[in-house]
Amino acid sequence: LMIGIIVFGGISFERLGVSQLPDVDFPVVTVNVNWEGAAPEVMETEVTDIMEDAVMSVEGIKEVTSVSSPGQAQITVELDLKRNIDAALQDVQTKIAQAQKNLPHDIDPPVVTKTNPEDQPIMWLALSGDRPLKDFVHYVSETLKDQLTTIAGVGDLRLGGFVDPNLRVWLDSKKMKEKELTVEDVLNGISSQHANLPAGYIDTGKEEINVRVYGETASPEEFEKIIIPNRVRGGAIWKDLRISDIGKVEDGLSDIRRISRTGGKAAIGLGIIKQRGTNAVAVAKA
């Protein structure tokens, strides 16, 4: 008996996962919704109240709390300990899906998650230096993120202070007035001209050839050449008007709403989240 305990104990010790927190699904389900530009009062009446009413009929609910903030709403559903968390998660997702017809159409899809301490980052890294923030953003999104997520045992990457890259169109109000254009005209021109649309195929009798139309631009210079085809309220435009005629395009970043610093310098935080059941020490060493 002692020999068996020693042998199987040694085997179990080698396979034992090492983690700071246990792999336990708490009986808590969280629903997060984003609606850009909405005030907290609007989020409460148009989003939070509707989703609260939807999840109240889920079996085994102990308490429901919510927080409405500018552009965001979070509903936390606490369940009884006897309730199966996976089944409850599916029930909440079903109720939220049924309630989506009553939510605003331009809202982001609700995200339903369950709480587990294993989903917290096991370590944080910071990328900083004497370079513009835009260079860090491009390096993280195009290179570093893929390198870290392909490491064995790494499940996900949480970014702090990360700002999505985008093209910023700076319009000249005086030039727009001279051309009798509005911002809505420019937006409609971008949405119609800057898009890859299906072009079908050509049937020669002996073979079929797929046709592809390159509609998206690859640089700010090409973006400035986008033609504004017509006016929304003023009728057609009889000569070519491009974005470069009324403004300029810059390769920049989205509006900065959160920042991350290390040593007083702008930085991007990288939170390493390990896969459930893997060795946290081995992942950290890798």
Side-chain angles (χ1 to χ4, degrees), residues 58 126 266:
V58 175

Side-chain angles (χ1 to χ4, degrees), residues 167 193-194 214-227 242-244 249:
L167 290 178
Q193 303 293 319
H194 182 63
Y214 291 92
E216 293 187 352
T217 61
S219 65
E221 292 76 18
E222 292 181 0
F223 200 92
E224 289 182 346
K225 298 178 182 178
I226 291 179
I227 297 176
R242 304 178 185 272
I243 294 180
S244 58
V249 179

Side-chain angles (χ1 to χ4, degrees), residues 118-172:
E118 278 274 88
D119 296 334
Q120 299 298 319
I122 60 173
M123 63 184 301
W124 279 93
L125 307 174
L127 177 65
S128 180
D130 297 325
R131 297 184 70 91
L133 180 62
K134 184 175 68 174
D135 294 343
F136 296 144
V137 168
H138 283 285
Y139 178 65
V140 170
S141 61
E142 297 177 5
T143 304
L144 189 57
K145 185 177 181 180
D146 293 336
Q147 292 178 349
L148 292 176
T149 52
T150 53
I151 296 176
V154 175
D156 198 2
L157 197 65
R158 185 172 300 174
L159 302 178
F162 182 83
V163 185
D164 292 325
N166 67 3
L167 290 178
R168 304 184 73 92
V169 181
W170 300 98
L171 300 176
D172 190 322

Side-chain angles (χ1 to χ4, degrees), residues 228-242:
I228 303 172
N230 51 47
R231 298 182 178 90
V232 176
R233 300 179 181 179
I237 299 176
W238 303 108
K239 62 179 181 179
D240 290 344
L241 289 180
R242 304 178 185 272

Side-chain angles (χ1 to χ4, degrees), residues 78-265:
E78 184 178 354
L79 304 156
D80 294 330
L81 291 174
K82 297 180 180 180
R83 184 74 162 94
N84 183 279
I85 184 62
D86 293 325
L89 179 67
Q90 294 181 358
D91 291 344
V92 172
Q93 289 175 334
T94 302
K95 295 297 182 182
I96 294 298
Q98 293 173 352
Q100 275 192 286
K101 63 182 180 181
N102 299 322
L103 296 175
H105 296 293
D106 55 343
I107 198 173
D108 292 343
V111 179
V112 184
T113 57
K114 56 184 178 181
T115 304
N116 190 308
E118 278 274 88
D119 296 334
Q120 299 298 319
I122 60 173
M123 63 184 301
W124 279 93
L125 307 174
L127 177 65
S128 180
D130 297 325
R131 297 184 70 91
L133 180 62
K134 184 175 68 174
D135 294 343
F136 296 144
V137 168
H138 283 285
Y139 178 65
V140 170
S141 61
E142 297 177 5
T143 304
L144 189 57
K145 185 177 181 180
D146 293 336
Q147 292 178 349
L148 292 176
T149 52
T150 53
I151 296 176
V154 175
D156 198 2
L157 197 65
R158 185 172 300 174
L159 302 178
F162 182 83
V163 185
D164 292 325
N166 67 3
L167 290 178
R168 304 184 73 92
V169 181
W170 300 98
L171 300 176
D172 190 322
S173 59
K174 294 182 179 180
K175 293 181 179 179
M176 292 181 64
K177 186 177 181 179
E178 293 175 358
K179 306 294 184 181
E180 298 180 350
L181 294 174
T182 64
V183 175
E184 190 175 1
D185 298 332
V186 179
L187 292 176
N188 290 339
I190 292 175
S191 61
S192 61
Q193 303 293 319
H194 182 63
N196 284 332
L197 301 176
Y201 63 91
I202 298 175
D203 188 356
T204 63
K206 296 182 179 179
E207 59 182 359
E208 291 184 355
I209 303 173
N210 289 326
V211 179
R212 180 181 178 186
V213 178
Y214 291 92
E216 293 187 352
T217 61
S219 65
E221 292 76 18
E222 292 181 0
F223 200 92
E224 289 182 346
K225 298 178 182 178
I226 291 179
I227 297 176
I228 303 172
N230 51 47
R231 298 182 178 90
V232 176
R233 300 179 181 179
I237 299 176
W238 303 108
K239 62 179 181 179
D240 290 344
L241 289 180
R242 304 178 185 272
I243 294 180
S244 58
D245 297 329
I246 56 174
K248 62 179 181 179
V249 179
E250 175 190 0
D251 184 9
L253 303 174
S254 300
D255 295 335
I256 298 178
R257 299 182 180 273
R258 54 183 180 177
I259 60 174
S260 176
R261 296 186 182 277
T262 177
K265 298 180 180 180

